[in-house]
Amino acid sequence: MIRFNPTNAAAFVPAHAVAQLLPQLELAHRQLLDGSGPGADFRGWIDLPARPDTEELARIREAADYIRREADVLVVVGIGGSYLGARAVIEALQSPFAASQTAAERGGPQIVFAGHQLSGSYHAELLDWLDGKRVCVNVISKSGTTTEPAIAFRILQRYMESRYDEEEVRRRIFVTTDANRGALLDLARARGYARFVVPDDVGGRYSVLTAVGLLPIAVNHDIDALLAGAAAAREAWLHVDDPLTAPPYAYALWRNALLRAGYDTEFLVHYDHQLRWFVEWWKQLYGESEGKDGRGLLPAGVEFTSDLHSMGQFIQDGRRRLIETVIRVNTPCRSLSVPFDEADGDGLNYLAGRDLADINARALEGTTLAHVDGGVPNLQVEIETIDETSLGWLIWFFEFACGLSGYLNAINPFDQPGVEAYKRNMFALLGKAGYEDLAASLQERLGR
Ligand code: PA5
């Protein structure tokens, strides 16, 4: 379950400004449900948890069992929506020290990522590090043509061929892509790799509850509980009587009311190190969905209390156009208490016996009020703990709120036309056929 609390934003926008958005919110809701809004063909994520593809799920579990049995390392190759969801959930559920745990402690193989950038050092180091380990690869690309994962996969496929015979390579590579088209699909068919589907009606950043996220997550974690959490959120919120108090509607309303009042940057704040990659997933979800047509709240992320010693000054005291949305976790998975010390040289005995979870909670409350006093409206999203079920709730909550929020902001939350600009320039500079004219003009601008 999730609770949403806008109390600490109320001083920054009048209640009537929030209420005035209600008719637009109703329209946004209708558009999401009946497909009358832009990008309507990409709303499949709404119902994913309610109508899971049981056959695909069985194949995902079977592949995950194989990987758990036969691999020390799973390399997940993908970029943007094709890796951030899986990474967010895996990093939230595993130990921060998973990299140095044994397979038994971790619950299965180590999961690492590739093809999410073009760093030569990263990929060279990865190949060196893989040596001597039993490796499986899951390459994920809906289009099947994205340059970064395509390059990384070509390198990794060659590496696998240098380590294993043809049959073994075939068993150890898993492909997640479109069911009907794309270079990756052709390659998977030609080589006979096991294939999983990114449904046509689900875009990359909304795809964590398809095979895109579920296969890597299933290797070490419980995907049934993740899906059950998302299904419960959908059941609770797909239709509601009072949008002003129902969490995804209220979140969409408040952030848009604040945007209209001149607040154009939103920090998603967490106090639990495990949620670090969840914030990266959220940044991509909201950034790519809403940042278009010259509009949108800039999504940023901070980890407190660490970043109170870097970004804290700016948030407290810098340019006043920021809002904070805090994820509050009521019961962390584990905790410790501060020991009593006879000498009390550090003066900490006033905290002796106090639990770190309790101290962190007071840091959250104190920081919230300090930032509110500094002029930063604060929204709070509260969850009970960090487990598969609560992450399922959070994922559906943020996705649904993102769809509502995009329509409230009069944009198409399901496309990403802006992502093409860098690709065109990169292809031209790399000498790809068909980009000759663009290449000449770019070379001139680069002074070459
Ligand atoms: O959210 C999105 O649609 C994008 O971030 C894509 O996931 C990303 O560009 C990768 O695309 P693909 O899966 O086609 O390789």
Side-chain angles (χ1 to χ4, degrees):
M1 189 51 177
I2 288 176
R3 276 173 291 277
F4 175 74
N5 183 354
T7 310
N8 285 313
F12 299 89
V13 265
H16 66 79
V18 181
Q20 268 167 3
L21 289 178
L22 274 171
Q24 289 167 57
L25 182 74
E26 271 165 32
L27 174 64
H29 185 219
R30 217 170 33 250
Q31 287 177 314
L32 265 190
L33 295 191
D34 69 14
S36 55
D41 291 346
F42 294 94
R43 294 169 304 118
W45 53 271
I46 296 175
D47 295 326
L48 271 177
R51 53 162 174 79
D53 179 340
T54 44
E55 216 175 286
E56 177 95 333
L57 277 179
R59 294 181 57 246
I60 287 173
R61 284 193 202 94
E62 200 184 307
D65 287 346
Y66 177 86
I67 295 166
R68 201 178 310 115
R69 234 181 16 250
E70 301 295 333
D72 302 316
V73 181
L74 170 67
V75 184
V76 178
V77 182
I79 195 165
S82 284
Y83 95 105
L84 280 165
R87 188 159 199 178
V89 173
I90 291 165
E91 302 261 354
L93 295 173
Q94 72 184 7
S95 159
F97 307 103
S100 43
Q101 284 181 317
T102 62
E105 287 164 342
R106 208 171 25 233
Q110 189 168 347
I111 300 181
V112 299
F113 298 85
H116 53 306
Q117 28 83 353
L118 287 165
S119 162
S121 342
Y122 179 91
H123 289 93
E125 290 288 336
L126 173 64
L127 294 194
D128 288 353
W129 177 79
L130 288 176
D131 264 346
K133 301 181 174 71
R134 298 172 307 149
V135 182
C136 283
V137 175
N138 178 201
V139 56
I140 307 168
S141 175
K142 181 173 180 177
S143 63
T145 55
T146 307
T147 311
E148 291 90 336
I151 292 174
F153 184 55
R154 185 184 273 215
I155 291 169
L156 276 156
Q157 190 175 236
R158 181 64 55 85
Y159 173 81
M160 295 295 276
E161 285 162 359
S162 74
R163 291 267 318 265
Y164 302 106
D165 66 28
E166 201 181 322
E167 187 51 29
E168 193 65 13
V169 171
R170 194 183 59 72
R171 276 199 288 266
R172 288 179 174 274
I173 293 184
F174 301 84
V175 173
T176 306
T177 190
D178 190 278
N180 303 305
R181 66 191 81 84
L184 183 57
L185 175 69
D186 297 342
L187 198 151
R189 278 181 174 146
R191 303 283 180 106
Y193 299 143
R195 279 184 280 126
F196 298 88
V197 172
V198 193
D200 273 346
D201 56 358
V202 181
R205 58 192 174 276
Y206 294 85
S207 69
V208 52
L209 300 178
T210 71
V212 170
L214 294 179
L215 175 52
I217 294 167
V219 171
N220 291 341
H221 304 288
D222 179 358
I223 54 170
D224 294 324
L226 185 75
L227 286 167
R234 179 186 172 279
E235 181 67 25
W237 295 325
L238 191 60
H239 303 280
V240 294
D241 295 331
D242 180 8
L244 267 178
T245 57
Y249 302 83
Y251 175 53
L253 269 182
W254 276 90
R255 60 197 299 283
N256 275 279
L258 288 160
L259 175 62
R260 282 161 172 75
Y263 295 90
D264 60 10
T265 302
E266 177 180 9
F267 281 102
L268 188 65
V269 182
H270 67 99
Y271 285 74
D272 297 82
H273 182 75
Q274 290 152 275
L275 292 178
R276 198 157 173 226
W277 280 92
F278 193 86
V279 169
E280 294 304 313
W281 170 81
W282 171 88
K283 273 162 59 180
Q284 195 238 350
L285 177 63
Y286 279 75
E288 235 176 62
S289 297
E290 293 197 311
K292 55 195 67 157
D293 304 339
R295 313 165 82 100
L297 268 159
L298 171 70
V302 276
E303 174 171 331
F304 288 169
T305 61
S306 316
D307 290 336
L308 288 170
H309 298 260
S310 64
M311 295 296 287
Q313 170 63 37
F314 194 109
I315 294 173
Q316 184 69 46
D317 213 16
R319 185 169 49 78
R320 297 298 71 190
R321 280 158 46 177
L322 318 174
I323 71 172
E324 287 183 324
T325 297
V326 177
I327 302 180
R328 179 174 191 149
V329 181
N330 284 336
T331 314
C333 303
R334 299 188 63 186
S335 199
L336 288 173
S337 58
V338 178
F340 177 79
D341 186 88
E342 201 69 50
D344 197 25
D346 50 15
L348 280 182
N349 270 356
Y350 82 104
L351 293 176
R354 295 279 287 271
D355 199 278
L356 277 182
D358 172 33
I359 297 171
N360 209 15
R362 301 295 81 75
L364 182 155
E365 289 163 357
T367 306
T368 297
L369 295 179
H371 289 180
V372 168
D373 291 345
V376 181
N378 187 286
L379 304 172
Q380 190 172 286
V381 174
E382 189 182 323
I383 57 174
E384 264 332 297
T385 190
I386 300 176
D387 59 13
E388 284 91 337
T389 312
S390 62
L391 290 170
W393 275 87
L394 264 190
I395 286 167
W396 202 89
F397 163 80
F398 277 121
E399 288 183 348
F400 196 61
C402 190
L404 291 170
S405 189
Y407 282 160
L408 259 176
N409 206 13
I411 48 90
N412 175 355
F414 306 120
D415 67 358
Q416 53 282 332
V419 179
E420 294 310 311
Y422 99 90
K423 290 186 190 169
R424 275 195 303 276
N425 285 0
M426 179 175 77
F427 292 150
L429 291 171
L430 287 170
K432 190 169 179 177
Y435 291 83
E436 292 77 6
D437 290 350
L438 179 58
S441 83
L442 294 178
Q443 297 289 11
E444 196 182 324
R445 286 171 63 192
L446 290 167
R448 293 204 283 254

